[in-house]
mmCIF file of all heavy atoms in Angstrom:
data_model
loop_
_atom_site.group_PDB
_atom_site.id
_atom_site.type_symbol
_atom_site.label_atom_id
_atom_site.label_comp_id
_atom_site.label_asym_id
_atom_site.label_seq_id
_atom_site.Cartn_x
_atom_site.Cartn_y
_atom_site.Cartn_z
ATOM 1 N N MET P 1 13.124 12.353 6.341
ATOM 2 C CA MET P 1 13.599 10.967 6.449
ATOM 3 C C MET P 1 13.021 10.135 5.293
ATOM 4 O O MET P 1 11.843 10.082 5.117
ATOM 5 C CB MET P 1 13.153 10.388 7.799
ATOM 6 C CG MET P 1 13.700 9.023 8.104
ATOM 7 S SD MET P 1 15.401 9.127 8.643
ATOM 8 C CE MET P 1 15.860 7.384 8.667
ATOM 9 N N THR P 2 13.890 9.533 4.522
ATOM 10 C CA THR P 2 13.418 8.664 3.429
ATOM 11 C C THR P 2 13.924 7.240 3.654
ATOM 12 O O THR P 2 14.903 7.020 4.346
ATOM 13 C CB THR P 2 13.882 9.195 2.061
ATOM 14 O OG1 THR P 2 15.314 9.177 2.018
ATOM 15 C CG2 THR P 2 13.399 10.595 1.776
ATOM 16 N N TYR P 3 13.212 6.338 3.064
ATOM 17 C CA TYR P 3 13.506 4.909 3.174
ATOM 18 C C TYR P 3 13.663 4.310 1.794
ATOM 19 O O TYR P 3 13.030 4.761 0.852
ATOM 20 C CB TYR P 3 12.397 4.209 3.955
ATOM 21 C CG TYR P 3 12.180 4.805 5.318
ATOM 22 C CD1 TYR P 3 11.225 5.799 5.508
ATOM 23 C CD2 TYR P 3 12.943 4.403 6.395
ATOM 24 C CE1 TYR P 3 11.041 6.373 6.767
ATOM 25 C CE2 TYR P 3 12.780 4.978 7.646
ATOM 26 C CZ TYR P 3 11.815 5.940 7.822
ATOM 27 O OH TYR P 3 11.644 6.531 9.057
ATOM 28 N N THR P 4 14.484 3.281 1.721
ATOM 29 C CA THR P 4 14.809 2.669 0.445
ATOM 30 C C THR P 4 14.341 1.237 0.401
ATOM 31 O O THR P 4 14.357 0.556 1.435
ATOM 32 C CB THR P 4 16.356 2.733 0.230
ATOM 33 O OG1 THR P 4 16.754 4.091 0.327
ATOM 34 C CG2 THR P 4 16.735 2.169 -1.129
ATOM 35 N N THR P 5 13.930 0.780 -0.771
ATOM 36 C CA THR P 5 13.562 -0.626 -0.994
ATOM 37 C C THR P 5 14.603 -1.550 -0.386
ATOM 38 O O THR P 5 15.806 -1.351 -0.575
ATOM 39 C CB THR P 5 13.445 -0.860 -2.499
ATOM 40 O OG1 THR P 5 12.366 -0.095 -2.993
ATOM 41 C CG2 THR P 5 13.176 -2.321 -2.802
ATOM 42 N N GLY P 6 14.113 -2.541 0.358
ATOM 43 C CA GLY P 6 15.007 -3.506 1.013
ATOM 44 C C GLY P 6 15.240 -3.219 2.485
ATOM 45 O O GLY P 6 15.669 -4.091 3.204
ATOM 46 N N GLU P 7 14.975 -1.967 2.891
ATOM 47 C CA GLU P 7 15.073 -1.672 4.308
ATOM 48 C C GLU P 7 13.860 -2.221 5.059
ATOM 49 O O GLU P 7 12.827 -2.533 4.454
ATOM 50 C CB GLU P 7 15.138 -0.135 4.508
ATOM 51 C CG GLU P 7 16.439 0.471 4.032
ATOM 52 C CD GLU P 7 16.510 1.981 4.303
ATOM 53 O OE1 GLU P 7 15.527 2.560 4.826
ATOM 54 O OE2 GLU P 7 17.563 2.548 3.984
ATOM 55 N N LYS P 8 14.013 -2.312 6.389
ATOM 56 C CA LYS P 8 12.899 -2.738 7.241
ATOM 57 C C LYS P 8 12.604 -1.613 8.229
ATOM 58 O O LYS P 8 12.991 -1.663 9.373
ATOM 59 C CB LYS P 8 13.272 -4.012 7.997
ATOM 60 C CG LYS P 8 13.490 -5.220 7.090
ATOM 61 C CD LYS P 8 13.832 -6.431 7.920
ATOM 62 C CE LYS P 8 14.080 -7.657 7.039
ATOM 63 N NZ LYS P 8 14.459 -8.841 7.816
ATOM 64 N N PRO P 9 11.907 -0.579 7.721
ATOM 65 C CA PRO P 9 11.695 0.622 8.552
ATOM 66 C C PRO P 9 10.612 0.468 9.567
ATOM 67 O O PRO P 9 10.365 1.387 10.354
ATOM 68 C CB PRO P 9 11.340 1.690 7.512
ATOM 69 C CG PRO P 9 10.698 0.914 6.427
ATOM 70 C CD PRO P 9 11.421 -0.417 6.352
ATOM 71 N N GLY P 10 9.926 -0.680 9.585
ATOM 72 C CA GLY P 10 8.898 -0.923 10.597
ATOM 73 C C GLY P 10 7.490 -0.809 10.036
ATOM 74 O O GLY P 10 7.254 -0.288 8.957
ATOM 75 N N LYS P 11 6.591 -1.365 10.831
ATOM 76 C CA LYS P 11 5.182 -1.386 10.470
ATOM 77 C C LYS P 11 4.667 0.039 10.209
ATOM 78 O O LYS P 11 5.000 0.953 10.959
ATOM 79 C CB LYS P 11 4.449 -1.991 11.678
ATOM 80 C CG LYS P 11 3.008 -2.265 11.486
ATOM 81 C CD LYS P 11 2.513 -2.985 12.759
ATOM 82 C CE LYS P 11 1.021 -3.118 12.799
ATOM 83 N NZ LYS P 11 0.639 -3.780 14.072
ATOM 84 N N GLY P 12 3.874 0.184 9.157
ATOM 85 C CA GLY P 12 3.299 1.499 8.883
ATOM 86 C C GLY P 12 3.018 1.700 7.403
ATOM 87 O O GLY P 12 3.140 0.760 6.605
ATOM 88 N N THR P 13 2.674 2.906 7.052
ATOM 89 C CA THR P 13 2.341 3.228 5.674
ATOM 90 C C THR P 13 3.404 4.152 5.083
ATOM 91 O O THR P 13 3.794 5.120 5.759
ATOM 92 C CB THR P 13 0.963 3.901 5.589
ATOM 93 O OG1 THR P 13 0.002 3.042 6.183
ATOM 94 C CG2 THR P 13 0.566 4.174 4.146
ATOM 95 N N TYR P 14 3.839 3.876 3.891
ATOM 96 C CA TYR P 14 4.914 4.643 3.230
ATOM 97 C C TYR P 14 4.424 5.093 1.871
ATOM 98 O O TYR P 14 3.652 4.413 1.207
ATOM 99 C CB TYR P 14 6.153 3.728 3.075
ATOM 100 C CG TYR P 14 6.671 3.322 4.429
ATOM 101 C CD1 TYR P 14 6.113 2.219 5.094
ATOM 102 C CD2 TYR P 14 7.653 4.047 5.061
ATOM 103 C CE1 TYR P 14 6.536 1.867 6.364
ATOM 104 C CE2 TYR P 14 8.097 3.703 6.339
ATOM 105 C CZ TYR P 14 7.527 2.626 6.972
ATOM 106 O OH TYR P 14 7.943 2.295 8.234
ATOM 107 N N ARG P 15 4.905 6.288 1.455
ATOM 108 C CA ARG P 15 4.486 6.855 0.200
ATOM 109 C C ARG P 15 5.679 6.948 -0.754
ATOM 110 O O ARG P 15 6.751 7.488 -0.395
ATOM 111 C CB ARG P 15 3.902 8.255 0.420
ATOM 112 C CG ARG P 15 3.434 8.936 -0.877
ATOM 113 C CD ARG P 15 3.113 10.411 -0.682
ATOM 114 N NE ARG P 15 1.972 10.622 0.188
ATOM 115 C CZ ARG P 15 2.019 11.295 1.363
ATOM 116 N NH1 ARG P 15 3.112 11.892 1.759
ATOM 117 N NH2 ARG P 15 0.929 11.419 2.094
ATOM 118 N N CYS P 16 5.477 6.462 -1.963
ATOM 119 C CA CYS P 16 6.528 6.564 -2.983
ATOM 120 C C CYS P 16 6.798 8.031 -3.308
ATOM 121 O O CYS P 16 5.893 8.816 -3.546
ATOM 122 C CB CYS P 16 6.036 5.835 -4.256
ATOM 123 S SG CYS P 16 7.122 6.035 -5.665
ATOM 124 N N LEU P 17 8.063 8.410 -3.306
ATOM 125 C CA LEU P 17 8.439 9.800 -3.563
ATOM 126 C C LEU P 17 8.286 10.132 -5.053
ATOM 127 O O LEU P 17 8.298 11.329 -5.392
ATOM 128 C CB LEU P 17 9.883 10.062 -3.096
ATOM 129 C CG LEU P 17 10.130 9.971 -1.599
ATOM 130 C CD1 LEU P 17 11.595 10.214 -1.296
ATOM 131 C CD2 LEU P 17 9.250 10.966 -0.844
ATOM 132 N N HIS P 18 8.199 9.152 -5.877
ATOM 133 C CA HIS P 18 8.130 9.405 -7.326
ATOM 134 C C HIS P 18 6.684 9.590 -7.794
ATOM 135 O O HIS P 18 6.363 10.526 -8.493
ATOM 136 C CB HIS P 18 8.782 8.251 -8.070
ATOM 137 C CG HIS P 18 8.902 8.468 -9.532
ATOM 138 N ND1 HIS P 18 9.751 9.404 -10.074
ATOM 139 C CD2 HIS P 18 8.273 7.876 -10.577
ATOM 140 C CE1 HIS P 18 9.647 9.380 -11.393
ATOM 141 N NE2 HIS P 18 8.766 8.476 -11.739
ATOM 142 N N CYS P 19 5.768 8.693 -7.360
ATOM 143 C CA CYS P 19 4.398 8.740 -7.898
ATOM 144 C C CYS P 19 3.326 8.866 -6.817
ATOM 145 O O CYS P 19 2.160 9.070 -7.160
ATOM 146 C CB CYS P 19 4.129 7.478 -8.752
ATOM 147 S SG CYS P 19 3.896 6.007 -7.765
ATOM 148 N N GLY P 20 3.708 8.763 -5.559
ATOM 149 C CA GLY P 20 2.715 8.933 -4.487
ATOM 150 C C GLY P 20 1.966 7.672 -4.091
ATOM 151 O O GLY P 20 1.109 7.715 -3.226
ATOM 152 N N GLN P 21 2.291 6.558 -4.723
ATOM 153 C CA GLN P 21 1.675 5.284 -4.361
ATOM 154 C C GLN P 21 1.926 4.962 -2.898
ATOM 155 O O GLN P 21 3.042 5.162 -2.410
ATOM 156 C CB GLN P 21 2.277 4.176 -5.244
ATOM 157 C CG GLN P 21 1.851 2.779 -4.907
ATOM 158 C CD GLN P 21 0.432 2.455 -5.346
ATOM 159 O OE1 GLN P 21 0.005 2.857 -6.429
ATOM 160 N NE2 GLN P 21 -0.308 1.766 -4.532
ATOM 161 N N LEU P 22 0.917 4.491 -2.200
ATOM 162 C CA LEU P 22 1.068 4.096 -0.803
ATOM 163 C C LEU P 22 1.360 2.602 -0.702
ATOM 164 O O LEU P 22 0.775 1.793 -1.412
ATOM 165 C CB LEU P 22 -0.206 4.425 -0.011
ATOM 166 C CG LEU P 22 -0.579 5.895 0.064
ATOM 167 C CD1 LEU P 22 -1.864 6.048 0.836
ATOM 168 C CD2 LEU P 22 0.527 6.704 0.727
ATOM 169 N N VAL P 23 2.272 2.276 0.188
ATOM 170 C CA VAL P 23 2.646 0.889 0.475
ATOM 171 C C VAL P 23 2.535 0.661 1.963
ATOM 172 O O VAL P 23 3.038 1.449 2.737
ATOM 173 C CB VAL P 23 4.093 0.627 0.012
ATOM 174 C CG1 VAL P 23 4.543 -0.756 0.455
ATOM 175 C CG2 VAL P 23 4.225 0.746 -1.486
ATOM 176 N N GLU P 24 1.827 -0.396 2.355
ATOM 177 C CA GLU P 24 1.667 -0.674 3.757
ATOM 178 C C GLU P 24 2.570 -1.854 4.159
ATOM 179 O O GLU P 24 2.580 -2.897 3.513
ATOM 180 C CB GLU P 24 0.195 -1.022 4.049
ATOM 181 C CG GLU P 24 -0.053 -1.215 5.539
ATOM 182 C CD GLU P 24 -1.491 -1.573 5.852
ATOM 183 O OE1 GLU P 24 -2.294 -1.685 4.901
ATOM 184 O OE2 GLU P 24 -1.780 -1.800 7.032
ATOM 185 N N LEU P 25 3.301 -1.653 5.244
ATOM 186 C CA LEU P 25 4.048 -2.762 5.819
ATOM 187 C C LEU P 25 3.290 -3.199 7.064
ATOM 188 O O LEU P 25 3.014 -2.389 7.939
ATOM 189 C CB LEU P 25 5.465 -2.327 6.205
ATOM 190 C CG LEU P 25 6.384 -1.878 5.067
ATOM 191 C CD1 LEU P 25 7.806 -1.681 5.609
ATOM 192 C CD2 LEU P 25 6.401 -2.900 3.936
ATOM 193 N N LYS P 26 2.942 -4.461 7.114
ATOM 194 C CA LYS P 26 2.106 -4.971 8.201
ATOM 195 C C LYS P 26 2.919 -5.483 9.391
ATOM 196 O O LYS P 26 2.376 -5.780 10.428
ATOM 197 C CB LYS P 26 1.192 -6.082 7.673
ATOM 198 C CG LYS P 26 0.236 -5.596 6.584
ATOM 199 C CD LYS P 26 -0.725 -6.690 6.190
ATOM 200 C CE LYS P 26 -1.556 -6.370 4.970
ATOM 201 N NZ LYS P 26 -2.147 -5.031 4.952
ATOM 202 N N SER P 27 4.209 -5.621 9.178
ATOM 203 C CA SER P 27 5.068 -6.182 10.239
ATOM 204 C C SER P 27 6.386 -5.440 10.276
ATOM 205 O O SER P 27 6.882 -4.929 9.273
ATOM 206 C CB SER P 27 5.294 -7.673 9.962
ATOM 207 O OG SER P 27 6.433 -8.121 10.675
ATOM 208 N N ASP P 28 7.014 -5.371 11.460
ATOM 209 C CA ASP P 28 8.332 -4.759 11.605
ATOM 210 C C ASP P 28 9.385 -5.550 10.859
ATOM 211 O O ASP P 28 10.483 -5.067 10.628
ATOM 212 C CB ASP P 28 8.701 -4.643 13.074
ATOM 213 C CG ASP P 28 7.912 -3.544 13.783
ATOM 214 O OD1 ASP P 28 7.318 -2.689 13.113
ATOM 215 O OD2 ASP P 28 7.911 -3.563 15.032
ATOM 216 N N ASP P 29 9.057 -6.823 10.480
ATOM 217 C CA ASP P 29 10.019 -7.646 9.754
ATOM 218 C C ASP P 29 9.854 -7.573 8.250
ATOM 219 O O ASP P 29 10.607 -8.187 7.492
ATOM 220 C CB ASP P 29 9.847 -9.109 10.188
ATOM 221 C CG ASP P 29 10.341 -9.340 11.612
ATOM 222 O OD1 ASP P 29 11.268 -8.646 12.039
ATOM 223 O OD2 ASP P 29 9.773 -10.202 12.291
ATOM 224 N N ASP P 30 8.855 -6.803 7.765
ATOM 225 C CA ASP P 30 8.638 -6.684 6.327
ATOM 226 C C ASP P 30 9.643 -5.731 5.715
ATOM 227 O O ASP P 30 9.921 -4.656 6.255
ATOM 228 C CB ASP P 30 7.217 -6.152 6.031
ATOM 229 C CG ASP P 30 6.138 -7.212 6.203
ATOM 230 O OD1 ASP P 30 6.502 -8.377 6.395
ATOM 231 O OD2 ASP P 30 4.963 -6.846 6.115
ATOM 232 N N GLN P 31 10.166 -6.109 4.535
ATOM 233 C CA GLN P 31 11.031 -5.211 3.782
ATOM 234 C C GLN P 31 10.180 -4.322 2.889
ATOM 235 O O GLN P 31 9.174 -4.732 2.342
ATOM 236 C CB GLN P 31 11.964 -5.987 2.866
ATOM 237 C CG GLN P 31 13.064 -6.733 3.613
ATOM 238 C CD GLN P 31 14.009 -7.408 2.598
ATOM 239 O OE1 GLN P 31 13.679 -7.667 1.480
ATOM 240 N NE2 GLN P 31 15.221 -7.679 3.087
ATOM 241 N N LEU P 32 10.633 -3.089 2.691
ATOM 242 C CA LEU P 32 9.990 -2.210 1.708
ATOM 243 C C LEU P 32 10.177 -2.800 0.334
ATOM 244 O O LEU P 32 11.317 -3.084 -0.081
ATOM 245 C CB LEU P 32 10.621 -0.818 1.726
ATOM 246 C CG LEU P 32 9.991 0.268 2.572
ATOM 247 C CD1 LEU P 32 10.832 1.523 2.471
ATOM 248 C CD2 LEU P 32 8.560 0.543 2.156
ATOM 249 N N PRO P 33 9.099 -3.001 -0.428
ATOM 250 C CA PRO P 33 9.222 -3.497 -1.806
ATOM 251 C C PRO P 33 9.543 -2.341 -2.754
ATOM 252 O O PRO P 33 9.440 -1.184 -2.329
ATOM 253 C CB PRO P 33 7.827 -4.072 -2.073
ATOM 254 C CG PRO P 33 6.937 -3.169 -1.261
ATOM 255 C CD PRO P 33 7.720 -2.784 -0.026
ATOM 256 N N PRO P 34 9.881 -2.630 -3.996
ATOM 257 C CA PRO P 34 9.891 -1.539 -4.979
ATOM 258 C C PRO P 34 8.462 -1.024 -5.123
ATOM 259 O O PRO P 34 7.514 -1.773 -4.865
ATOM 260 C CB PRO P 34 10.333 -2.226 -6.275
ATOM 261 C CG PRO P 34 10.836 -3.558 -5.894
ATOM 262 C CD PRO P 34 10.191 -3.920 -4.583
ATOM 263 N N CYS P 35 8.286 0.193 -5.512
ATOM 264 C CA CYS P 35 6.926 0.730 -5.700
ATOM 265 C C CYS P 35 6.159 -0.173 -6.673
ATOM 266 O O CYS P 35 6.652 -0.435 -7.754
ATOM 267 C CB CYS P 35 7.014 2.148 -6.241
ATOM 268 S SG CYS P 35 5.367 2.820 -6.641
ATOM 269 N N PRO P 36 4.952 -0.620 -6.276
ATOM 270 C CA PRO P 36 4.184 -1.488 -7.157
ATOM 271 C C PRO P 36 3.673 -0.757 -8.412
ATOM 272 O O PRO P 36 3.269 -1.398 -9.378
ATOM 273 C CB PRO P 36 3.001 -1.952 -6.286
ATOM 274 C CG PRO P 36 2.917 -0.946 -5.179
ATOM 275 C CD PRO P 36 4.315 -0.412 -4.975
ATOM 276 N N ASN P 37 3.687 0.530 -8.394
ATOM 277 C CA ASN P 37 3.188 1.321 -9.538
ATOM 278 C C ASN P 37 4.303 1.729 -10.505
ATOM 279 O O ASN P 37 4.171 1.579 -11.712
ATOM 280 C CB ASN P 37 2.474 2.563 -8.999
ATOM 281 C CG ASN P 37 1.811 3.363 -10.095
ATOM 282 O OD1 ASN P 37 1.028 2.824 -10.870
ATOM 283 N ND2 ASN P 37 2.130 4.643 -10.167
ATOM 284 N N CYS P 38 5.427 2.245 -9.969
ATOM 285 C CA CYS P 38 6.441 2.818 -10.847
ATOM 286 C C CYS P 38 7.859 2.203 -10.637
ATOM 287 O O CYS P 38 8.786 2.599 -11.318
ATOM 288 C CB CYS P 38 6.516 4.331 -10.670
ATOM 289 S SG CYS P 38 7.281 4.843 -9.124
ATOM 290 N N HIS P 39 7.965 1.288 -9.659
ATOM 291 C CA HIS P 39 9.225 0.613 -9.366
ATOM 292 C C HIS P 39 10.337 1.505 -8.841
ATOM 293 O O HIS P 39 11.514 1.136 -8.833
ATOM 294 C CB HIS P 39 9.728 -0.203 -10.610
ATOM 295 C CG HIS P 39 8.691 -1.172 -11.066
ATOM 296 N ND1 HIS P 39 8.003 -0.972 -12.236
ATOM 297 C CD2 HIS P 39 8.230 -2.303 -10.512
ATOM 298 C CE1 HIS P 39 7.148 -1.978 -12.365
ATOM 299 N NE2 HIS P 39 7.263 -2.788 -11.354
ATOM 300 N N HIS P 40 9.968 2.702 -8.392
ATOM 301 C CA HIS P 40 10.896 3.577 -7.723
ATOM 302 C C HIS P 40 11.268 2.977 -6.369
ATOM 303 O O HIS P 40 10.542 2.106 -5.870
ATOM 304 C CB HIS P 40 10.227 4.958 -7.537
ATOM 305 C CG HIS P 40 11.171 6.100 -7.295
ATOM 306 N ND1 HIS P 40 12.018 6.580 -8.266
ATOM 307 C CD2 HIS P 40 11.405 6.857 -6.196
ATOM 308 C CE1 HIS P 40 12.717 7.583 -7.777
ATOM 309 N NE2 HIS P 40 12.358 7.779 -6.523
ATOM 310 N N GLU P 41 12.381 3.409 -5.789
ATOM 311 C CA GLU P 41 12.839 2.754 -4.565
ATOM 312 C C GLU P 41 13.048 3.669 -3.369
ATOM 313 O O GLU P 41 13.765 3.326 -2.441
ATOM 314 C CB GLU P 41 14.136 1.980 -4.863
ATOM 315 C CG GLU P 41 13.916 0.889 -5.890
ATOM 316 C CD GLU P 41 15.137 -0.011 -6.064
ATOM 317 O OE1 GLU P 41 16.224 0.377 -5.653
ATOM 318 O OE2 GLU P 41 14.949 -1.122 -6.609
ATOM 319 N N LYS P 42 12.419 4.839 -3.435
ATOM 320 C CA LYS P 42 12.512 5.772 -2.294
ATOM 321 C C LYS P 42 11.131 6.098 -1.774
ATOM 322 O O LYS P 42 10.230 6.454 -2.537
ATOM 323 C CB LYS P 42 13.210 7.072 -2.741
ATOM 324 C CG LYS P 42 14.669 6.902 -3.159
ATOM 325 C CD LYS P 42 15.551 6.655 -1.941
ATOM 326 C CE LYS P 42 17.023 6.576 -2.402
ATOM 327 N NZ LYS P 42 17.896 6.219 -1.264
ATOM 328 N N PHE P 43 10.999 6.057 -0.464
ATOM 329 C CA PHE P 43 9.717 6.285 0.181
ATOM 330 C C PHE P 43 9.851 7.190 1.378
ATOM 331 O O PHE P 43 10.915 7.294 1.995
ATOM 332 C CB PHE P 43 9.132 4.924 0.670
ATOM 333 C CG PHE P 43 8.847 3.960 -0.424
ATOM 334 C CD1 PHE P 43 9.869 3.164 -0.939
ATOM 335 C CD2 PHE P 43 7.587 3.827 -0.953
ATOM 336 C CE1 PHE P 43 9.626 2.256 -1.956
ATOM 337 C CE2 PHE P 43 7.329 2.945 -1.982
ATOM 338 C CZ PHE P 43 8.354 2.149 -2.501
ATOM 339 N N GLU P 44 8.735 7.845 1.733
ATOM 340 C CA GLU P 44 8.685 8.573 2.985
ATOM 341 C C GLU P 44 7.597 7.956 3.826
ATOM 342 O O GLU P 44 6.616 7.388 3.292
ATOM 343 C CB GLU P 44 8.382 10.051 2.760
ATOM 344 C CG GLU P 44 7.018 10.322 2.136
ATOM 345 C CD GLU P 44 6.763 11.803 1.934
ATOM 346 O OE1 GLU P 44 7.621 12.602 2.312
ATOM 347 O OE2 GLU P 44 5.683 12.123 1.397
ATOM 348 N N LYS P 45 7.703 8.088 5.148
ATOM 349 C CA LYS P 45 6.697 7.493 6.013
ATOM 350 C C LYS P 45 5.484 8.418 6.114
ATOM 351 O O LYS P 45 5.619 9.623 6.269
ATOM 352 C CB LYS P 45 7.286 7.267 7.403
ATOM 353 C CG LYS P 45 6.347 6.395 8.264
ATOM 354 C CD LYS P 45 7.069 5.794 9.446
ATOM 355 C CE LYS P 45 6.139 4.746 10.101
ATOM 356 N NZ LYS P 45 6.744 4.160 11.303
ATOM 357 N N VAL P 46 4.301 7.804 6.000
ATOM 358 C CA VAL P 46 3.046 8.573 6.116
ATOM 359 C C VAL P 46 2.506 8.428 7.515
ATOM 360 O O VAL P 46 2.072 9.415 8.144
ATOM 361 C CB VAL P 46 2.001 8.036 5.100
ATOM 362 C CG1 VAL P 46 0.678 8.769 5.269
ATOM 363 C CG2 VAL P 46 2.537 8.211 3.672
ATOM 364 N N SER P 47 2.472 7.208 8.045
ATOM 365 C CA SER P 47 1.935 6.987 9.408
ATOM 366 C C SER P 47 2.531 5.705 9.979
ATOM 367 O O SER P 47 3.116 4.934 9.251
ATOM 368 C CB SER P 47 0.419 6.889 9.371
ATOM 369 O OG SER P 47 0.049 5.774 8.589
HETATM 370 ZN ZN1 LIG H 101 5.921 4.912 -7.337
#
């Protein structure tokens, strides 16, 4: 299961599929941002 920038996949930690950067969403209402490191837009859920 992968998630794309702009989706609201829910609170949790996501890993960029391109560089491995972790992004934390603190709220179920937060949108996934572009990767802060490489600006890639695909993520997988870590926890
Ligand atoms: Zn990245």
Side-chain angles (χ1 to χ4, degrees):
M1 186 78 188
T2 61
Y3 302 94
T4 303
T5 295
E7 290 183 357
K8 295 181 180 177
K11 187 175 169 182
T13 303
Y14 298 83
R15 180 191 295 120
C16 174
L17 293 179
H18 187 68
C19 74
Q21 174 75 40
L22 297 178
V23 172
E24 185 181 0
L25 297 188
K26 299 185 189 313
S27 161
D28 287 343
D29 290 328
D30 283 353
Q31 288 184 338
L32 264 178
C35 175
N37 185 54
C38 74
H39 304 107
H40 200 69
E41 298 188 342
K42 295 287 184 185
F43 297 82
E44 64 179 358
K45 191 162 190 183
V46 177
S47 62

